[in-house]
Amino acid sequence: MIVSSAFSGKRYAILGLARSGMAVLESLHASGAELLAWDNREELRESVADKARIADPLESDLTGFEAIVVSPGVPLNSHPIAQKAAASGVPIIGDIELFAQARSALPPHRVVGITGTNGKSTTTALVHHILERSGLPAVMGGNIGLPILSQKPMAEDGVYVLELSSYQIDLTRSLDCDVALLLNISPDHLDRYSGFDAYAASKARLFDMLGSNHHAIFASADEKTQLALHGLRDLGRVENIVDTSSVAIAGQSDWPSLQGPHNLQNAIAAIATVEALGISEDQWRPALESFQGLSHRMERIAESNGVLFVNDSKATNPASTGPALGAYPKIHWIVGGLPKSDDLIECEPFYKNVVSAYTIGEAGPLFGKLLADHMPVISCEMMLTAVQRAAANAKPGEVVLLSPACASFDQFRDFEARGDCFRSGVNSVIENNLTRTASGEANL
């Protein structure tokens, strides 16, 4: 794990002992810090009782504490810990800020920070993949993979590639990335912010921490991303600013896991990022071809009888689903879940690619009405029904695409569980088809 003498002898309160909270506790304890820790789950409290004093920070005297470290899942706009911290004069931070403070104790290295509403995980994994294929040591963390503090410190000249959510940026004060990338900004997570402007400002804060000689990359032409770009340029504080929103690069047909206009944008942004780190085209181009992608993000599940099945369960809003519909010319679209809006405006430019829509979940009736004038709509409600009907209707050369444009919480624990359900349905359909084929052949 990452440890630092900077934490030794200081007192920290930790609220939340899930993955990142547990990594924080282990790192701070190993660094010689004095800890107070709390989680609503008794079994987690008991598991760390030998390393921290177990007490609720809301009911404790925090005078003299260095910081309150909270999980990104704690809603600072409504949780009473925000008032408690203000009254105690103690800052609230997260694990990324602790990593930033520990950097001076690490071997010389560089940091890439990647944020945006959509595409963060894919782009982070792609940058990490390109670096590794190019021979540069790299680790991936933040909002993806293992918590950064729980990872082994890298040897000299390594690159830490961090996916950063707005929640994590809110809890970070001093992360000076060597390369900071903003992919795009569209409305999301507005339950945690006073409005879209506040959410966008949270994303843009990544550049407030950027050193003057480091690189800032902006990947989208959307209003808020361009506003952040021009704001940084107007300040004149950062020398290396790149706008990739109008950059064109050939070869996407050779990158099977990076199909669709959104993945082309992700790839171009990743290329600009690794080039800022000294990677050349003869290094990044073959890496794009070998990239396997991430689960639940335009993931190619299977191909059967000429029909491709693609799992894009991570598309939890229309802005993410729209470009997914642009990836293929003939799509059987499984859509629905817990809606985040009452329209599908971002999807409308790609309706021409949809052969039929199969609605599921709470949004099914609403989406059925929105889509009925544009395409055939089949009301399915349940995932397995949608997979079965889409597979039965799809012809060779067509695609069955799960890209829900909704949150998953009406029927599933999370988007991963939803994608796993889709995968199971696809496997079941293929197995049944093979069984029927084998049975038919046996009767001939």
Side-chain angles (χ1 to χ4, degrees), residues 188 202 364:
D188 203 5
S202 174

Side-chain angles (χ1 to χ4, degrees), residues 46-104:
E46 291 177 350
S47 71
V48 300
D50 60 332
K51 298 176 181 176
R53 179 166 66 91
I54 304 303
D56 188 340
L58 292 173
E59 301 173 359
S60 303
D61 181 4
L62 300 181
T63 303
F65 274 65
E66 185 72 16
I68 303 170
V69 188
V70 304
S71 160
V74 175
L76 296 183
N77 62 326
S78 59
H79 197 284
I81 194 63
Q83 293 181 337
K84 174 69 173 183
S88 303
V90 178
I92 298 178
I93 63 173
D95 66 323
I96 302 299
E97 174 59 23
L98 289 172
F99 168 73
Q101 294 177 15
R103 290 183 63 188
S104 61

Side-chain angles (χ1 to χ4, degrees), residues 317-346:
N317 55 56
S320 183
T321 288
L325 296 177
Y328 304 100
K330 293 185 178 181
I331 294 171
H332 293 262
W333 177 25
I334 299 176
V335 58
L338 185 65
K340 292 185 175 181
S341 66
D342 57 3
D343 63 60
L344 291 167
I345 292 174
E346 294 93 341

Side-chain angles (χ1 to χ4, degrees), residues 31-286:
S31 298
E34 180 182 339
L35 304 177
L36 179 151
W38 184 257
D39 192 284
N40 289 333
R41 289 162 291 184
E42 183 178 359
E43 67 275 14
L44 292 181
R45 299 197 301 266
E46 291 177 350
S47 71
V48 300
D50 60 332
K51 298 176 181 176
R53 179 166 66 91
I54 304 303
D56 188 340
L58 292 173
E59 301 173 359
S60 303
D61 181 4
L62 300 181
T63 303
F65 274 65
E66 185 72 16
I68 303 170
V69 188
V70 304
S71 160
V74 175
L76 296 183
N77 62 326
S78 59
H79 197 284
I81 194 63
Q83 293 181 337
K84 174 69 173 183
S88 303
V90 178
I92 298 178
I93 63 173
D95 66 323
I96 302 299
E97 174 59 23
L98 289 172
F99 168 73
Q101 294 177 15
R103 290 183 63 188
S104 61
L106 299 175
H109 62 275
R110 289 177 289 180
V111 171
V112 172
I114 298 172
T115 194
T117 303
N118 297 308
K120 295 188 298 297
S121 295
T122 294
T123 306
T124 301
L126 180 56
V127 168
H128 178 255
H129 175 74
I130 295 171
L131 294 177
E132 285 200 322
R133 286 296 301 269
S134 301
L136 274 180
V139 299
M140 182 171 60
N143 201 42
I144 187 173
L146 295 174
I148 192 61
L149 292 178
S150 67
Q151 302 203 39
K152 182 179 179 181
M154 300 180 64
E156 187 170 343
D157 296 329
V159 182
Y160 295 89
V161 186
L162 304 179
E163 176 189 334
L164 300 171
S165 70
S166 59
Y167 302 161
Q168 289 171 312
I169 296 172
D170 290 340
L171 298 169
T172 305
R173 299 167 176 232
S174 62
L175 181 68
D176 180 8
C177 298
D178 294 84
V179 185
L181 166 60
L182 174 59
L183 288 166
N184 48 63
I185 305 177
S186 59
D188 203 5
H189 303 303
L190 299 187
D191 58 320
R192 291 277 293 263
Y193 297 93
S194 60
F196 185 26
D197 289 347
Y199 168 69
S202 174
K203 296 286 189 187
R205 278 195 61 253
L206 182 61
F207 301 97
D208 294 342
M209 298 178 275
L210 201 64
S212 62
N213 61 335
H214 289 167
H215 293 77
I217 300 172
F218 299 83
S220 175
D222 70 69
E223 177 189 0
K224 298 298 185 184
T225 299
Q226 288 294 305
L227 185 63
L229 164 65
H230 294 304
L232 191 62
R233 277 182 174 163
D234 291 344
L235 287 174
R237 183 177 56 80
V238 176
E239 301 170 7
N240 305 304
I241 300 176
V242 177
D243 181 1
T244 68
S245 61
S246 60
V247 172
I249 292 181
Q252 188 182 17
S253 60
D254 297 326
W255 315 330
S257 294
L258 292 166
Q259 296 304 294
H262 59 324
N263 275 326
L264 180 58
Q265 180 194 71
N266 294 340
I268 291 171
I271 290 166
T273 299
V274 298
E275 286 187 339
L277 297 170
I279 302 299
S280 62
E281 182 172 355
D282 62 352
Q283 293 173 298
W284 58 251
R285 193 167 283 282

